[in-house]
Amino acid sequence: MREAQLRNLAVNQIGYPADGRKSFVCIGQGGPFEVVDSAGGEAVYRGETAQPRFDEAAGITLCTGDFSALTLPGSYFIRLGGENSARFVIAESPYAELQRGLLKAFYFFRCGCDLEEEFAGPWQHKACHLADGTVYDEPGRKLDSVGGWHDAGDYGKYTGPGAKAVADLLLAYELYPQAFREPLPLPESGGGMPDVLHECRYELDWLFKMQDERTGGAFHKLTTKQFPGLDVMPEDDLADLYFLPVSATATGCFAGVMAMAARVYRPFDGEFADRCLAAAERAWRWLADHPDAPGFTNPGDVGTGEYGDNLDLDERYWAAAELFRTTGDEAYHREFLVLAAQQFPKYDLGWANMGAYGTIAYLFGDRAKADPALYGRLLDGLIAEAERFAAISASDSYGISLTPTDYSWGSNMVVLNRAMLLLLAYHLGGSKKYEVIALDHIHYLIGRNALDISYVTGFGDRPVMHPHHRPSVGDKVAQPVPGLVAGGPNRGLNDDCMLEHLQGMPPAQCFIDDEQSYAGNEVTIYWNSPAVFVVSHFV
């Protein structure tokens, strides 16, 4: 459990881009402040905080201090009223190491291979989950289950969430290839392909195994029937594995991400790209043959993450958009137009609502082939959503797009998904302010928040130390696996640890750095993936 005393001055504990907006947040009434050179101890900038205001989400009176005029690279801290902030840097590109750490986290999520000391350091462990899995509703049928990423703090592997994570990383590579030039390294590094694509391929190779060879549909998930104990290392989790039944949502996600991968990998490996496209098209045929497939529900004897979702229009919409963008086939365009006329969220980037991925694929595709009216409506809608986030951010003391009610389970995913959408809107011709606001979301993640904590393990001077993450608990290494994004404040207090320690706390303070807090301090691949996208923009 976190025991560090809360500082009254919250900064990005890594630093600020030299040419960007720079500010800190102070609890209380504020006043004159200094920016102090860490090396020489001399004040290099002086200013006055803005007028204090009560922040509803944080439940405290706050004021901000702006020092954007300071652009000289160096190491600094804020001094105000005899108190010092965390040290931070001002640099041309302060987030390169953070970006690499967020991406390297996916290597630590790998299942089915040795994590070797050369690449994993003290967090090495042996290969895990090597047994075949049983098809749940066909007990005599066993299939190869090895590979992919563990989903979260547990060892389940899920088609939909895995597809979202890969999609975020592939989008990051498509928009910011220069951010991935340096190897991490990984065991596969080299061969002319960037490591982000090597890492995504590790998951994609497993996703192929989630397509039922008999039907073309995608199994919803691959897990044991119940979660193992919190201190169980992956190689010691020997319970039987099960392929849970095919679902339309999983199949739609599978088709979407495979069509996307076919496009991205084409310059590097044509044979692999062909395989991805064939898998996507077969999954699409399953979707076409099952227009009324029911949503997924855990069987009564299965207690692992359900990822239940009764609406599959958004996944079908994404699949049609990616297949159209990749192939140019007008048949997929016609299907997309029909789906686009239906009512469902088209600008959400979460695992349950995948509509934004379809919208993005259409807007970033060949505009000459798009329907002009639909293209305009989708673009206007995405910009309107960015404007909504900008308005929320303007009223928030920390500059992020969460209202008090948005501090729910996985609130940091919401922070990062919204920052991601702001950047996508910026790329599509939206206001420069969207980029500035997205950077404020990074500042929040790395310490400029109500708890003066970095929500990324291993980064910042007060990072999360006790994530709900089985390898970090069970490996006997003092430091947790680095580069993991914690879920963040959750006003729902959905676990016993939160209920015991956080009753009555305001939404933005409903977080405890305790390994028992799975509803606030767990980690997942699809919280890391939008973080990679957003930080890559600023590398």
Side-chain angles (χ1 to χ4, degrees):
M1 187 182 300
R2 179 169 176 255
E3 298 174 348
Q5 183 177 358
L6 176 67
R7 290 176 293 219
N8 288 319
L9 304 175
V11 298
N12 182 321
Q13 294 171 17
I14 292 175
Y16 300 82
D19 62 351
R21 186 169 70 185
K22 309 172 193 72
S23 65
F24 67 92
V25 177
C26 172
I27 297 174
Q29 299 301 309
F33 69 88
E34 298 176 330
V35 184
V36 181
D37 185 331
S38 300
E42 299 295 325
V44 297
Y45 183 87
R46 291 180 172 86
E48 185 91 17
T49 61
Q51 289 297 308
R53 64 178 181 178
F54 181 77
D55 187 89
E56 182 183 356
I60 45 182
T61 296
L62 302 168
C63 52
T64 58
D66 189 278
F67 56 101
S68 300
L70 179 60
T71 60
L72 182 67
S75 175
Y76 303 97
F77 60 87
I78 307 296
R79 179 182 292 153
L80 189 158
E83 185 173 6
N84 296 339
S85 73
R87 294 187 179 191
F88 56 86
V89 301
I90 293 176
E92 195 68 31
S93 182
Y95 306 129
E97 186 178 350
L98 172 64
Q99 189 251 11
R100 289 161 58 82
L102 291 165
L103 179 58
K104 183 62 178 281
F106 288 89
Y107 171 76
F108 291 110
F109 278 116
R110 286 190 184 189
C111 181
C113 68
D114 289 345
L115 298 193
E116 301 170 7
E117 185 176 7
E118 178 183 357
F119 303 102
W123 302 285
Q124 63 182 306
H125 64 75
K126 293 296 184 182
C128 58
H129 304 101
L130 300 175
D132 287 348
T134 299
V135 177
Y136 182 84
D137 46 9
E138 299 179 60
R141 186 181 175 202
K142 292 188 177 294
L143 301 173
D144 177 11
S145 72
V146 176
W149 297 323
H150 298 143
D151 173 67
D154 60 271
Y155 302 132
K157 295 184 286 190
Y158 304 81
T159 301
K164 174 196 162 35
V166 171
D168 291 342
L169 297 181
L170 294 183
L171 279 170
Y173 172 71
E174 284 193 300
L175 285 176
Y176 313 115
Q178 75 285 351
F180 300 97
R181 288 179 296 187
E182 297 296 323
L184 288 176
L186 297 172
E188 301 87 355
S189 292
M193 192 160 74
D195 277 351
V196 63
L197 299 188
H198 284 303
E199 193 55 65
C200 286
R201 183 163 178 168
Y202 193 84
E203 176 76 353
L204 289 164
D205 281 336
W206 170 77
L207 280 170
F208 285 130
K209 300 177 183 181
M210 295 301 285
Q211 185 169 39
D212 184 359
E213 62 181 12
R214 296 180 180 178
T215 67
F219 295 110
H220 193 80
K221 65 178 187 174
L222 173 70
T223 72
T224 54
K225 287 189 175 181
Q226 304 295 330
F227 292 125
L230 188 55
D231 62 350
V232 173
M233 288 295 288
E235 61 266 40
D236 297 325
D237 180 26
L238 301 176
D240 291 339
L241 291 162
Y242 291 88
F243 288 86
L244 276 296
V246 167
S247 72
T249 53
T251 305
C253 286
F254 179 93
V257 78
M258 284 296 175
M260 187 181 193
R263 179 176 71 249
V264 175
Y265 284 87
R266 177 70 59 190
F268 301 98
D269 187 335
E271 185 178 343
F272 181 74
D274 287 343
R275 186 183 178 199
C276 290
L277 183 57
E281 293 186 317
R282 188 164 188 233
W284 179 262
R285 290 194 292 273
W286 186 95
L287 291 169
D289 291 342
H290 298 81
D292 301 311
F296 178 84
T297 303
N298 264 344
D301 60 343
V302 175
T304 52
E306 183 172 76
Y307 289 105
D309 183 1
N310 289 319
L311 179 68
D312 60 22
L313 289 174
D314 48 320
E315 289 85 5
R316 292 171 184 264
Y317 172 82
W318 178 32
E322 294 288 2
L323 281 161
F324 173 55
R325 183 179 178 189
T326 295
T327 68
D329 187 333
E330 193 60 29
Y332 293 121
H333 193 199
R334 290 193 295 271
E335 294 288 351
F336 180 79
L337 294 176
V338 171
L339 288 161
Q342 307 300 310
Q343 295 301 310
F344 59 88
K346 296 183 177 69
Y347 307 101
D348 285 0
L349 289 158
W351 63 263
N353 295 316
M354 301 290 286
Y357 294 95
T359 299
I360 292 162
Y362 199 67
L363 294 178
F364 279 92
D366 186 347
R367 188 168 183 177
K369 294 182 178 179
D371 177 84
L374 177 59
Y375 185 98
R377 287 197 302 273
L378 291 176
L379 179 58
D380 288 347
L382 189 140
I383 297 296
E385 191 75 342
E387 279 295 311
R388 183 171 76 88
F389 296 156
I392 297 170
S393 300
S395 66
D396 182 80
S397 296
Y398 295 97
I400 63 166
S401 56
L402 297 192
T403 67
T405 58
D406 288 327
Y407 287 88
S408 56
W409 198 327
S411 63
N412 281 340
M413 178 191 70
V414 182
V415 168
L416 294 162
N417 282 345
R418 291 183 176 182
M420 185 173 166
L421 186 135
L422 285 161
L423 291 173
L424 290 164
Y426 169 70
H427 276 285
L428 288 163
S431 171
K432 171 75 173 178
K433 72 181 180 183
Y434 301 152
E435 181 184 45
V436 175
I437 297 167
L439 183 56
D440 282 330
H441 288 60
I442 295 177
H443 296 331
Y444 169 89
L445 187 72
I446 312 296
R448 202 182 70 184
N449 53 60
L451 295 175
D452 179 38
I453 189 172
S454 169
Y455 288 115
V456 182
T457 59
F459 289 87
D461 81 329
R462 290 188 178 178
V464 164
M465 287 294 295
H466 307 286
H468 183 88
H469 177 240
R470 281 164 175 78
S472 292
V473 175
D475 62 9
K476 312 304 180 187
V477 179
Q479 297 288 326
V481 170
L484 306 177
V485 176
N490 174 10
R491 62 195 287 270
L493 306 183
N494 298 109
D495 61 53
D496 290 342
C497 182
M498 300 183 93
L499 284 170
E500 180 181 351
H501 296 283
L502 299 173
Q503 290 283 355
M505 297 298 288
Q509 296 193 52
C510 287
F511 177 85
I512 184 167
D513 184 13
D514 191 300
E515 64 196 31
Q516 298 294 334
S517 181
Y518 56 84
N521 207 25
E522 193 167 8
V523 300
T524 80
I525 52 175
Y526 56 87
W527 297 342
N528 261 72
S529 57
V532 171
F533 180 97
V534 175
V535 175
S536 294
H537 179 92
F538 297 98
V539 172

